[in-house]
Amino acid sequence: MSHPNKLNVVQQQFIEELIKEIRKSLLFPRSLPLSEQYPEPPLANIRRIILSSYGMISVNLKQRKVRLLENNINEQKEGNAWEGSPFAQIETAMAYQYGIPLLLIRETDVEKIGVWSLGIGPFVILEWSSEAENPVEEFFQRNHWNSIFQSWIGHVRTGYYIKTQPEYQYSCFNRSENMQI
């Protein structure tokens, strides 16, 4: 599970509830540096945990509020933007490259850039509003969340089954052929 380490109270409640939902499904979330840490640079640690995972939930939460002044072609800009964690880009992209089932959740108002841009990849990005009346309860009671989460669980379990099958099958039948007697 990918999420920033610096969380406000509502974000922390959201992450804790997400972990509970994952565990209720009999899956066991792992996260750098909370549950896993290796004596290697961050990118090597990310690669190691991704290669030993069967699915990934990536949560892109508000981290820095930035005042806009101008862009790279000197056009004046006004307003503010919320940036997420750069690791939300790196970890998600690496997991996608390895074909790991992804479930992406973006906090409302976080910039839609990179893998978090709508339509950039073949995945749905769920939005969570930390400013709703009951932000945590409302999100986890939505049918949209439940449907996508259950689908993701199915993909994770299928990936686990495929990756953990023995190389040699002790059977007279070839799995890829329909044997008729």
Side-chain angles (χ1 to χ4, degrees), residues 1-2 30-32 36 38 42-58 87-102 163:
M1 187 168 87
S2 171
R30 301 162 51 212
S31 182
L32 290 170
E36 312 277 326
Y38 307 101
L43 284 178
N45 282 330
I46 293 167
R47 181 179 58 210
R48 182 181 302 277
I49 198 168
I50 285 174
L51 289 174
S52 63
S53 296
Y54 303 103
M56 179 178 192
I57 295 178
S58 187
F87 288 102
Q89 298 282 349
I90 296 166
E91 293 167 350
T92 303
M94 288 176 81
Y96 177 71
Q97 179 181 8
Y98 286 108
I100 294 173
L102 291 171
K163 283 176 102 176

Side-chain angles (χ1 to χ4, degrees), residues 54 157-167 169:
Y54 303 103
R157 292 189 194 290
T158 300
Y160 172 81
Y161 179 75
I162 291 168
K163 283 176 102 176
T164 59
Q165 286 297 300
E167 183 177 347
Q169 298 291 317

Side-chain angles (χ1 to χ4, degrees), residues 24-77:
K24 278 194 316 192
S25 302
L26 299 178
L27 298 174
F28 305 97
R30 301 162 51 212
S31 182
L32 290 170
L34 303 177
S35 66
E36 312 277 326
Q37 187 62 44
Y38 307 101
E40 298 173 323
L43 284 178
N45 282 330
I46 293 167
R47 181 179 58 210
R48 182 181 302 277
I49 198 168
I50 285 174
L51 289 174
S52 63
S53 296
Y54 303 103
M56 179 178 192
I57 295 178
S58 187
V59 185
N60 197 4
L61 301 172
K62 295 176 183 176
Q63 294 294 287
R64 288 167 300 285
K65 190 173 189 177
V66 180
R67 189 168 44 114
L68 304 175
L69 300 174
E70 69 182 22
N71 64 14
N72 62 330
I73 54 174
N74 298 323
E75 294 175 334
Q76 299 299 311
K77 298 288 181 182

Side-chain angles (χ1 to χ4, degrees), residues 97-143:
Q97 179 181 8
Y98 286 108
I100 294 173
L102 291 171
L103 194 160
L104 305 181
I105 304 169
R106 185 181 66 82
E107 187 173 359
T108 305
D109 297 329
V110 172
E111 283 188 304
K112 298 175 185 172
I113 60 172
V115 296
W116 297 93
S117 299
L118 297 176
I120 194 95
F123 35 74
V124 175
I125 300 173
L126 295 172
E127 289 218 358
W128 170 64
S129 174
S130 59
E131 297 171 7
E133 189 173 327
N134 294 307
V136 176
E137 296 83 16
E138 286 179 21
F139 180 83
F140 290 104
Q141 290 175 356
R142 290 178 14 205
N143 288 334

